[in-house]
């Protein structure tokens, strides 16, 4: 996906480092992702979920909390309250750029942070909130810190280890992390909430999801991430919950009403990335792209893929229509189409000098053991009568006007 690296100013005088994952097509809406405790915006779950949401047309921002990754500030003095402030600043940035309501998505402590930040961001600016493996008890994270917390309380600061990494924490960090009653905050939100959790989570137990769900007001939903680990290290788990969040979010973040919906034909709209382009028909939307080998993001078929698809699908449809009408025991067909862009060198009937002759090579495999040779021959003959075949071999003119 096209990734835009941005910086977000904070009221505390330093900047947060962010990565905005953009759809290769048009933007339906925007989402803000908060990563897990001591992770960064480059954690596996953060990257996987934000890019998956972008594939659904949701521009998604992930960023490093204060003092982590590429962000400024002192992590050792930040604490949970600073995470909430970072989210408010990032949500404001998204709102200014894209307008409309945004989705808030948080993983682990990031999930608790988006729930706590929602009231400060404002209900009128939030489409919905989704949490993944979030703790209901924020001070719970202090249990994952290896060090003498009592000494830090006494002396004002000290060294600890979190997830195998060394950090310098202050008394202020501990105070900011302890001072939050999350279930009470959740009960005040009255926003659509999706709570996702693994019943076998060994770091944040499933009872946390129960507490959050109980505190939340409707509309609320729960998704079980069966067999997933806390950090969503398996790509399939991250992809699954991202797809669920995107589908759930569509209910609260409808398609922008200024998108073109043609009464006939198609409309192609320039998207993001180098080649990303969105195609709209009267009832469908999809993205067209180029492969990575050609500088694209490989998020959709190429224009020549669509050309081959037009011929292949029309061929299959025409043969099936004929077989149904004639009562032929036709079980279907596989039609493979390739595009030969340098056909001129193999063409021995090109009279115009310098003329480039191209070819579509079609291989038709008929399915059905009961077909007779005559029936097979007739179906192949009918294949050449498909409308797209006639259009491509006919005298096709393209008329262009400026809209």
């Amino acid at each position: 996906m096209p990734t835009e690296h941005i910086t977000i100013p904070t009221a505390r005088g330093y900047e947060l480092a962010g990565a905005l994952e953009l759809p290769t097509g048009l933007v339906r809406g925007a989402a803000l992702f908060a990563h897990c405790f001591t992770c960064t915006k480059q954690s596996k779950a953060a990257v996987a979920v934000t890019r998956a949401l972008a594939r659904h047309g949701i521009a998604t921002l992930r960023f490093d909390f204060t003092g982590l990754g590429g962000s400024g500030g002192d992590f050792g003095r930040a604490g949970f309250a600073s995470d909430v402030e970072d989210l408010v600043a990032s949500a404001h940035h998204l709102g200014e750029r894209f307008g409309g309501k945004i989705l808030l998505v948080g993983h682990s402590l990031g999930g608790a942070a988006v729930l706590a930040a929602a009231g400060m961001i404002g209900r009128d600016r939030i489409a919905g909130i989704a949490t993944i493996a979030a703790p209901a008890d924020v001070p719970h994270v202090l249990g994952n810190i290896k060090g003498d917390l009592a000494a830090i309380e006494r002396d004002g600061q000290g060294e600890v280890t979190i997830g195998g990494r060394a950090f310098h924490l202050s008394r202020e960090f501990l105070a900011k992390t302890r001072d939050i009653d999350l279930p009470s905050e959740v009960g005040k939100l009255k926003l659509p909430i999706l709570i996702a959790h693994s019943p076998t989570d060994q770091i944040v137990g499933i009872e946390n999801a129960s507490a959050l769900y109980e505190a939340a007001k409707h509309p609320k939903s729960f998704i079980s991430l069966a067999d997933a680990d806390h950090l969503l290290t398996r790509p399939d788990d991250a992809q699954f919950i991202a797809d669920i969040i995107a589908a759930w979010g569509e209910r609260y973040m409808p398609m922008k009403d200024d998108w073109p919906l043609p009464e006939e034909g198609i409309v192609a709209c320039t998207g993001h990335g180098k080649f990303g382009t969105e195609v709209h028909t009267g009832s469908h939307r999809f993205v067209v792209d180029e492969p990575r080998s050609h500088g694209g993001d490989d998020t959709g078929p190429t224009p020549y893929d669509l050309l081959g698809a037009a011929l292949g699908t029309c061929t299959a449809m025409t043969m099936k229509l004929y077989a149904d009408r004639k009562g032929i025991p036709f079980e279907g067909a596989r039609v493979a189409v390739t595009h030969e862009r340098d056909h001129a060198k193999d063409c021995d009937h090109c009279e115009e000098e310098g003329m480039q002759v191209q070819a579509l090579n079609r291989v038709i495999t008929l399915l059905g053991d009961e077909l007779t040779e005559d029936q097979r021959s007739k179906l192949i003959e009918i294949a050449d009568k498909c409308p797209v075949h006639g259009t491509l071999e006919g005298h096709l003119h393209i008329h262009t006007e400026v809209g």
Side-chain angles (χ1 to χ4, degrees):
M1 311 300 295
T3 304
E4 182 180 324
H5 297 284
I6 63 175
T7 56
I8 303 159
T10 69
R12 298 183 293 277
Y14 53 82
E15 293 182 330
L16 304 175
L20 180 65
E21 298 293 345
L22 292 164
T24 45
L26 302 183
V27 174
R28 185 176 80 246
L32 178 60
F33 183 92
H35 62 70
C36 54
F37 184 47
T38 72
C39 297
T40 71
K41 66 180 183 298
Q42 295 306 113
S43 70
K44 289 183 178 180
V47 173
V49 172
T50 54
R51 289 182 176 174
L53 288 171
R55 283 193 288 273
H56 286 271
I58 302 173
T60 307
L61 172 64
R62 63 180 191 271
F63 68 96
D64 293 325
F65 281 119
T66 292
L68 295 172
S71 291
D74 182 358
F75 171 81
R77 294 186 177 278
F80 187 75
S82 294
D83 291 349
V84 171
E85 292 177 25
D86 292 346
L87 279 164
V88 173
S90 300
H92 180 71
H93 178 91
L94 275 182
E96 284 192 333
R97 175 156 179 178
F98 296 105
K101 295 184 177 182
I102 66 173
L103 288 177
L104 298 181
V105 184
H107 179 210
S108 190
L109 187 63
V114 297
L115 291 170
M120 298 175 64
I121 294 170
R123 290 183 56 199
D124 59 333
R125 299 174 61 186
I126 300 172
I129 305 172
T131 66
I132 306 167
D137 177 22
V138 173
H140 166 276
V141 302
L142 298 180
N144 296 321
I145 298 176
K146 294 183 178 180
D148 191 344
L149 301 188
I152 294 175
E153 293 275 19
R154 182 188 67 245
D155 302 333
Q157 58 185 355
E159 297 293 329
V160 299
T161 301
I162 308 173
R165 297 161 58 198
F167 290 93
H168 188 88
L169 295 189
S170 68
R171 180 190 298 131
E172 182 181 6
F173 179 98
L174 301 180
K176 286 183 176 180
T177 303
R178 287 185 176 127
D179 189 22
I180 178 69
D181 181 1
L182 194 60
S184 176
E185 294 298 316
V186 171
K188 300 173 186 176
L189 292 179
K190 298 180 182 179
L191 285 166
I193 294 179
L194 172 67
I195 298 170
H197 215 109
S198 169
T200 54
D201 192 324
Q202 298 298 307
I203 296 178
V204 178
I206 189 66
E207 67 277 3
N208 287 269
S210 299
L212 292 175
Y213 188 85
E214 183 67 25
K217 301 296 190 285
H218 284 292
K220 57 184 177 180
S221 304
F222 173 76
I223 294 294
S224 177
L225 297 174
D227 299 324
D229 60 25
H230 180 73
L231 293 178
L232 299 183
T233 54
R234 293 189 311 193
D236 286 351
D237 293 329
Q239 181 67 51
F240 169 76
I241 192 55
D243 289 343
I244 291 292
I245 292 171
W248 169 82
E250 285 185 11
R251 189 172 186 87
Y252 308 104
M253 183 185 289
M255 290 282 188
K256 289 186 176 180
D257 57 13
D258 59 347
W259 282 19
L261 295 171
E263 294 183 2
E264 60 179 357
I266 67 100
V267 173
C269 309
T270 301
H272 301 279
K274 187 173 182 179
F275 295 112
T277 304
E278 187 152 315
V279 178
H280 295 177
T281 71
S283 56
H284 298 282
R285 297 176 172 88
F286 57 91
V287 170
V288 178
D289 203 351
E290 289 287 352
R292 296 187 186 279
S293 59
H294 286 69
D297 292 288
D298 197 25
T299 56
T302 72
Y304 279 105
D305 287 338
L306 297 185
L307 180 64
L311 177 61
T313 55
C314 188
T315 297
M317 291 176 185
T318 301
M319 289 190 295
K320 186 177 188 305
L321 179 63
Y322 177 81
D324 288 346
R325 285 178 177 174
K326 298 297 184 180
I328 296 175
F330 177 64
E331 296 181 7
R334 286 194 296 267
V335 184
V337 180
T338 55
H339 178 229
E340 195 172 339
R341 302 180 71 169
D342 194 18
H343 179 62
K345 65 182 182 182
D346 298 323
C347 179
D348 59 5
H349 53 78
C350 304
E351 298 179 358
E352 184 176 340
E353 185 176 353
M355 177 181 179
Q356 183 181 14
V357 178
Q358 300 187 45
L360 291 174
N361 299 317
R362 180 177 58 182
V363 177
I364 302 174
T365 303
L366 298 177
L367 307 177
D369 296 335
E370 297 182 12
L371 290 172
T372 66
E373 286 304 316
D374 286 344
Q375 289 171 335
R376 297 174 70 88
S377 297
K378 189 60 179 178
L379 285 169
I380 296 299
E381 178 185 335
I382 290 298
D384 284 341
K385 299 185 183 300
C386 89
V388 170
H389 188 286
T391 298
L392 292 173
E393 286 198 330
H395 296 286
L396 180 63
H397 296 270
I398 300 175
H399 303 282
T400 302
E401 59 182 72
V402 179

